C-alpha cells in the first residue's frame, strides 16, 4: 500500500470512535452490542474497499458516521410494518391483502398468549383435530357436506389434485391455464401434484364437446380455474358449471373448481356481478364436487386455503400425508373462525374488506372532504407558495384478482405541491415516512383514496405530510 493510500486510510474513523458516538447506545439496546459492532465493521470494510478501488473517492468522517446511523436505523426498524393504504385497492396483495376484523384480532391475541384447544377435545379429555375449528362453520355458510383448511389456496389446489387425481388425468380449458401473482402457474401446480394435465379448447373458446372428447379411462376430473386478473373479452365462450357438472357426473368424474377469491355473500349491491365471481355456495349448488378458495381475499379473513365439497372426497384429503406440511397454525385458525362467525350471525359488514367494498359514494365524498379540510389547515401553516388540494372522483378496485374489470366509484383528496417536484416524488417521500403512506397519483397530483383508509388514517396522513414538509424546509416551506 503506497503512502498516499495509507494516509487516506488513516482518516477513516476507527471502530472505537464510532462506538463512542452518543446515538450508538440506543441501537445497542435494540440490536445488541455485537450486532452493532458487526454492522459497523461491514460499513468500514466497504469504505476501505472503495478507497482501494479508487483512491480519489471523496469521503469524510461525518459522512461515514451518518451512513452508520442510517444503517442502524434501518436494521433496528421491523421490515414488516403497518402502512396507510390510500390507493383505493381494497385487497391489495402487496400490502397484505385483507385486514382482519376487530373480533378476529382479539381472538388471535387471546390464543397467541395462552394454551388452547388447538388439538384437544375438552369433552373427551383427549386429542382433538385442528380442522374441527373451521369445518362446521364452512359447512354452514357454504352448504358443503365437509370442509378442510390449509395454509393458502395454492396449497389447497395441490392437496386436492394430489389426493383426487394423482397419476390420473385432469381435463382443463386452455383459457384457464393462467399465471397469477408470484409465478403461480396452473400447469406447474398440476405437474407438482402428480396429475396429468389434458388441455382442451382454445384460449378464447372452449365447448362442452371439447371436454367430452378428451375423457378417457384415465380421466379423474374436470378442473375449472378462476382466471384471476386475466380476462378474454369479445369472441369468448366457457362452459357453464352446470353443464360441466352434468358431464362429469355422467362419466363418473369429479368436477373441481379453483374459485380463487372465496366470496361468501352476494356483492351485486356493490355493483359487482357474480357471473365470473360466484359465491362458494353458488359454485357448489351448480354441481361442483370440490371447491377451493382463499381466506384473505373477498372473504376478508387471514391467509388460508379452504376446500369444501362432497364428504367422501374431503375425507380422502384428510388422509393425505401432505396435509401435515400444509396445516394451519393456531393464530390463523383463531382469526378464521372469528371471521366466519361474523358471517354466521349476519354481521359481515364488520369485516373490513366487505365494509370497504360496500361503502357508498356519499360516505366516500364526505370522507374526502374531511381529509381535505384537515390537510388544508396543515398546509396553511407552511410557507408554501403554491399548492392545490381538492376533492375529486376516483376509480377504486376490489383487487386480489377479483372483479378485475369492475371499477368501484370512489372519491379522493388530490394534492399537488409544485415546489416539491412531481407527484411521483411526493408519493415517494410519503412512502419513506415514519408511518409510510402509499397513495395513488394522477394529473401530477397525489391521490389519497378514501375507500381504503381506516380509522386514524387521516391523522397519519397529516403526520406524514408534516414530516415531508420538514424535509423540504430548505425551500422555504
Amino acid at each position: 500500500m503506497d503512502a498516499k493510500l495509507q494516509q487516506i486510510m488513516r482518516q477513516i474513523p476507527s471502530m472505537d470512535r464510532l462506538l463512542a458516538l452518543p446515538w450508538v447506545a440506543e441501537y445497542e439496546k435494540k440490536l445488541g452490542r455485537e450486532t452493532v459492532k458487526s454492522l459497523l465493521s461491514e460499513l468500514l470494510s466497504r469504505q476501505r474497499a472503495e478507497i482501494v478501488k479508487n483512491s480519489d473517492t471523496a469521503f469524510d468522517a461525518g459522512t461515514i458516521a451518518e451512513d452508520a446511523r442510517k444503517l442502524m436505523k434501518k436494521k433496528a426498524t421491523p421490515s414488516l410494518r403497518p402502512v396507510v393504504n390510500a390507493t383505493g385497492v381494497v385487497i391489495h396483495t402487496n400490502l397484505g391483502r385483507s385486514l382482519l376484523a376487530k373480533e378476529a384480532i382479539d381472538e388471535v391475541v387471546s390464543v397467541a398468549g395462552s394454551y388452547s384447544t388447538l388439538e384437544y377435545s375438552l369433552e373427551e379429555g383427549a386429542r382433538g383435530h385442528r380442522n374441527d375449528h373451521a369445518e362446521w362453520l364452512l359447512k354452514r355458510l357454504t352448504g358443503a357436506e365437509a370442509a378442510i383448511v390449509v395454509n393458502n389456496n395454492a396449497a389447497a389446489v395441490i392437496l386436492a389434485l394430489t389426493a383426487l387425481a394423482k397419476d390420473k388425468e385432469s381435463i382443463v380449458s386452455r383459457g384457464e391455464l393462467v399465471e397469477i401473482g408470484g409465478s403461480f402457474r396452473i400447469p406447474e401446480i398440476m405437474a407438482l401434484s402428480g396429475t396429468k394435465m389434458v388441455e382442451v379448447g382454445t384460449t378464447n373458446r372452449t365447448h362442452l364437446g371439447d371436454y367430452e372428447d378428451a375423457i378417457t379411462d384415465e380421466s379423474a376430473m374436470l378442473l375449472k380455474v378462476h382466471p384471476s386478473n386475466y380476462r378474454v373479452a369479445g369472441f369468448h365462450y366457457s362452459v357453464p358449471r352446470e353443464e360441466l357438472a352434468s358431464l362429469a357426473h355422467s362419466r363418473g368424474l369429479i368436477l373441481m373448481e379453483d374459485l380463487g377469491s372465496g366470496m361468501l355473500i352476494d356483492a351485486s349491491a356493490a355493483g359487482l356481478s357474480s357471473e365470473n365471481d360466484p359465491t362458494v355456495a353458488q359454485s357448489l349448488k351448480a354441481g361442483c364436487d370440490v371447491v377451493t378458495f382463499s381466506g384473505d381475499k373477498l372473504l376478508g379473513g387471514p391467509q388460508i386455503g379452504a376446500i369444501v365439497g362432497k364428504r367422501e372426497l374431503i375425507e380422502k384429503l384428510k388422509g393425505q400425508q401432505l396435509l401435515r406440511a400444509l396445516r394451519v397454525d393456531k393464530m390463523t385458525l383463531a382469526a378464521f373462525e372469528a371471521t366466519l362467525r361474523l358471517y354466521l350471525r349476519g354481521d359481515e359488514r364488520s369485516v373490513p374488506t366487505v365494509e370497504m367494498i360496500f361503502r357508498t359514494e356519499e360516505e366516500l365524498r364526505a370522507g374526502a372532504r374531511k381529509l381535505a379540510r384537515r390537510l388544508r389547515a396543515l398546509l396553511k401553516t407552511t410557507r408554501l407558495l403554491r399548492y392545490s388540494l381538492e376533492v375529486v372522483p376516483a376509480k377504486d378496485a376490489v383487487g386480489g384478482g377479483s372483479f378485475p374489470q369492475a371499477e368501484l366509484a370512489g372519491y379522493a383528496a388530490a394534492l399537488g405541491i409544485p415546489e416539491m417536484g412531481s407527484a411521483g416524488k411526493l408519493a415517494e417521500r410519503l412512502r419513506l415516512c415514519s408511518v409510510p403512506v402509499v397513495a395513488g397519483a394522477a394529473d401530477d397530483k397525489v391521490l389519497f383514496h378514501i375507500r381504503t383508509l381506516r380509522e386514524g388514517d387521516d391523522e397519519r396522513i397529516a403526520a406524514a405530510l408534516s414530516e415531508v414538509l420538514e424535509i423540504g424546509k430548505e425551500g422555504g416551506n
Side-chain angles (χ1 to χ4, degrees):
M1 185 181 296
D2 59 36
K4 178 184 176 183
L5 198 55
Q6 288 180 340
Q7 179 63 29
I8 295 173
M9 288 292 191
R10 281 194 287 269
Q11 295 174 24
I12 298 176
S14 67
M15 172 73 75
D16 289 341
R17 182 177 171 185
L18 290 176
L19 288 171
L21 291 170
W23 50 263
V24 170
E26 172 191 352
Y27 293 107
E28 288 181 341
K29 292 178 182 178
K30 295 179 179 179
L31 297 169
R33 185 172 177 81
E34 291 306 313
T35 299
V36 169
K37 290 173 67 176
S38 176
L39 291 171
L40 291 176
S41 178
E42 292 173 10
L43 181 67
L44 293 174
S45 294
R46 287 197 297 270
Q47 183 65 56
R48 294 188 185 100
E50 184 63 30
I51 292 171
V52 170
K53 183 179 177 180
N54 180 8
S55 60
D56 292 327
T57 298
F59 78 94
D60 59 66
T63 299
I64 293 177
E66 184 58 29
D67 288 345
R69 187 169 188 166
K70 290 178 181 178
L71 177 62
M72 296 300 157
K73 181 179 180 180
K74 180 179 180 180
K75 297 301 183 182
T77 302
S79 59
L80 186 58
R81 300 163 58 193
V83 305
V84 173
N85 177 11
T87 67
V89 180
V90 178
I91 308 170
H92 199 304
T93 298
N94 302 126
L95 300 183
R97 290 188 178 170
S98 287
L99 308 184
L100 293 181
K102 181 183 182 301
E103 290 82 353
I105 295 170
D106 290 344
E107 288 300 317
V108 170
V109 172
S110 175
V111 167
S114 305
Y115 291 104
S116 66
T117 56
L118 177 64
E119 290 186 351
Y120 186 78
S121 169
L122 294 173
E123 291 79 7
E124 299 177 9
R127 184 185 181 94
H129 302 280
R130 68 177 62 201
N131 191 63
D132 293 346
H133 303 289
E135 184 170 27
W136 178 80
L137 289 163
L138 284 170
K139 288 163 56 179
R140 179 72 180 176
L141 291 168
T142 67
E145 294 179 4
I148 192 170
V149 292
V150 289
N151 54 19
N152 61 25
N153 189 49
V157 173
I158 291 173
L159 178 64
L161 288 173
T162 301
L164 304 176
K166 186 177 181 180
D167 299 325
K168 302 284 282 185
E169 295 175 348
S170 295
I171 304 170
V172 60
S173 168
R174 285 190 175 90
E176 296 174 1
L177 295 178
V178 297
E179 174 184 325
I180 61 176
S183 297
F184 176 94
R185 291 184 169 187
I186 291 300
E188 293 172 6
I189 292 298
M190 294 180 72
L192 185 63
S193 72
T195 191
K196 180 181 178 182
M197 180 180 70
V198 177
E199 305 172 43
V200 296
T202 62
T203 302
N204 61 321
R205 292 176 71 82
T206 302
H207 301 277
L208 186 64
D210 295 322
Y211 290 95
E212 192 168 14
D213 292 344
I215 296 174
T216 70
D217 291 341
E218 295 300 310
S219 300
M221 72 163 55
L222 306 185
L223 175 63
K224 185 170 181 59
V225 181
H226 186 276
S228 188
N229 286 327
Y230 170 72
R231 288 290 187 274
V232 176
F235 192 58
H236 169 257
Y237 181 77
S238 61
V239 183
R241 293 169 183 81
E242 291 82 358
E243 294 183 25
L244 287 176
S246 179
L247 173 61
H249 300 157
S250 69
R251 303 293 290 273
L253 305 182
I254 298 165
L255 174 58
M256 171 176 156
E257 179 168 20
D258 169 13
L259 197 54
S261 289
M263 186 163 55
L264 295 182
I265 60 172
D266 183 3
S268 58
L272 302 174
S273 169
S274 63
E275 181 179 354
N276 291 313
D277 289 87
T279 66
V280 179
Q282 287 171 338
S283 180
L284 289 171
K285 189 175 181 180
C288 292
D289 302 302
V290 176
V291 177
T292 71
F293 56 94
S294 297
D296 58 346
K297 291 185 178 180
L298 284 169
L299 193 150
Q303 177 179 298
I304 208 167
I307 312 170
V308 298
K310 297 289 181 62
R311 182 176 293 105
E312 65 271 20
L313 300 179
I314 301 299
E315 287 301 317
K316 291 182 179 180
L317 273 62
K318 292 179 180 179
Q320 272 288 316
Q321 289 296 315
L322 181 61
L323 180 60
R324 183 173 180 84
L326 305 177
R327 67 183 183 176
V328 181
D329 78 297
K330 60 185 179 182
M331 290 178 285
T332 302
L333 281 171
F336 193 53
E337 180 179 354
T339 303
L340 293 179
R341 289 189 179 280
L342 290 173
Y343 282 97
L344 187 68
R345 66 174 187 247
D347 194 17
E348 59 270 8
R349 292 294 179 96
S350 292
V351 177
T353 295
V354 177
E355 185 271 330
M356 285 186 273
I357 288 174
F358 279 87
R359 282 186 178 179
T360 66
E361 290 189 50
E362 291 75 17
E363 292 171 335
L364 297 171
R365 187 188 300 111
R369 288 171 176 168
K370 179 184 174 184
L371 176 59
R373 285 195 299 269
R374 185 179 187 92
L375 298 184
R376 190 173 291 111
L378 171 65
L379 291 167
K380 286 180 179 178
T381 66
T382 71
R383 297 180 182 178
L384 287 171
L385 299 177
R386 288 189 302 133
Y387 64 85
S388 63
L389 182 59
E390 58 185 329
V391 171
V392 299
K395 295 178 181 179
D396 298 335
V398 175
S402 305
F403 301 102
Q405 294 175 308
E407 292 179 348
L408 298 173
Y411 280 88
L415 173 63
I417 306 179
E419 292 178 44
M420 306 204 73
S422 67
K425 186 63 177 177
L426 178 55
E428 178 185 1
R429 290 185 175 184
L430 289 166
R431 291 197 306 271
L432 299 177
C433 286
S434 301
V435 177
V437 175
V438 182
D443 300 324
D444 212 25
K445 295 177 182 177
V446 170
L447 299 184
F448 301 106
H449 292 248
I450 303 303
R451 186 181 299 276
T452 47
L453 298 187
R454 310 305 296 155
E455 184 177 353
D457 279 351
D458 283 14
E459 291 83 355
R460 297 180 186 98
I461 291 172
L465 186 56
S466 295
E467 195 174 325
V468 168
L469 294 176
E470 287 295 314
I471 294 173
K473 209 163 188 177
E474 293 177 5
N477 297 338

